[in-house]
Amino acid sequence: MKAKTGTVWLASLISLFLLLGIWQPALAFPPSSSMPQTYSGDRLVIGETFTLRSGETLEGDLIVIGGLADIQKGATVNGDVDLLGGSLKLAGEVVASINAVGATIELEEGAVIRGDIHAVASSISGLEKANLMGTLDTFTPTGNVWRMPIFRWQPWINLPSEPFNFLQRTFLDLLRTLAVAILALLIALLLPTPLDRISQTLIHEPFLSGGLGLLTLLVMPAVILILFITIILIPVALIGIIILALALLLGWVAVGYEIGNRLAELFKSVWSPPLAAGIGALVLGFVLYLLGFVFCLGGLLSFLIGCWGLGAVLLSRFGTQVFRTAPPSSLSAPRPEIVRPSPATPEEEKTPKE
């Protein structure tokens, strides 16, 4: 079947990430019983083996990241199956579509896919044994694809002159943006309160955060170089490099988290910290990628955002406090932290004070 190289791979990447925002915090099902079971809600599998046995039904989407999913004969997934660097062994039925990026799909005798198969740089076997009711859309970056005609270079657009370099860089940049967004989701899942404090510091002290971050990026390379020259302090220099890298990453995620919160307010909804951080980082990376085609605007904004986030991380002492030089005014009240003390019980409120 002829491969389509249009918007298939972009749709697969974006749909895969958006599905991550609604996954339930369970990586495996409860122990199976003798009776067929029906599981409701989406399921996320990261680096593990997941088995949907015969007679069992998943009422939701299945998302596999670097893991193995085995859907046995007689099992049903009433949703999409999304793969990122994982493997799928299908002998049962998938009611919706299969979206795969860098994955391996093995279809066995009697497998049914009622939707489509969208595959980017993925391997598919056993297609002749399965019943695919939709269409097969694949995109594999080969030498012929890289040489496909593109628009010629324009003076106001910073595009590489060779099609191979342009398409390869585009594909890798989009994958990198998706990876950073997934990493932001995981960081917000593990550190929601420190991330919220850094985000508040970003808003309360934007200029001080940017200035401190810029000063740190200018001074730290010289300090690290001096430590390397001393030889005996090389371990200290390596530790400093690691701490600086972690601070830059945490600051970037905090900026994405704040963007996600603003988007949630725009849509008049409430998003969880992982969802806000993931979508915010994805939007931030995609916008900066597009701005990168106009002169050096994308690189300059990336540097400024990095300084801004780094300074906020340092001012908040890696999210242990909200830094504020002046008391908050009534016009800019601080956002309450995620972890709050439990409210007083009705009995305590009714107790008169002596």
Side-chain angles (χ1 to χ4, degrees), residues 325-350:
T325 56
S329 62
S330 58
L331 297 178
S332 60
R335 183 170 59 244
E337 291 187 2
I338 296 175
V339 178
R340 303 178 182 177
S342 58
T345 60
E347 290 77 7
E348 295 175 347
E349 294 177 353
K350 294 179 180 179

Side-chain angles (χ1 to χ4, degrees), residues 155-192:
W156 56 276
I157 299 180
N158 185 21
L159 293 179
S161 58
E162 296 182 9
F164 177 85
N165 293 334
F166 168 66
L167 293 179
Q168 184 184 44
R169 191 174 118 192
T170 299
F171 184 74
L172 294 178
D173 285 343
L174 291 174
L175 285 182
R176 189 181 301 112
T177 301
L178 178 64
V180 172
I182 295 176
L183 185 60
L185 185 149
L186 296 176
I187 291 176
L189 185 65
L190 298 175
L191 304 171

Side-chain angles (χ1 to χ4, degrees), residues 26 49 79 86 108 152 167 201 218 221 265 298:
T49 300
E108 296 186 349
R152 293 184 177 273
L167 293 179
T201 303
L218 293 178
E265 294 176 1

Side-chain angles (χ1 to χ4, degrees), residues 5-44:
T5 60
T7 60
V8 172
W9 63 281
L10 285 176
S12 301
L13 290 174
I14 297 174
S15 64
L16 174 62
F17 174 76
L18 293 178
L19 287 172
L20 292 179
I22 56 174
W23 62 274
Q24 296 183 0
L27 299 181
F29 287 145
S32 60
S33 61
S34 57
M35 297 296 294
Q37 299 186 30
T38 299
Y39 304 99
S40 60
D42 303 333
R43 287 297 182 268
L44 173 67

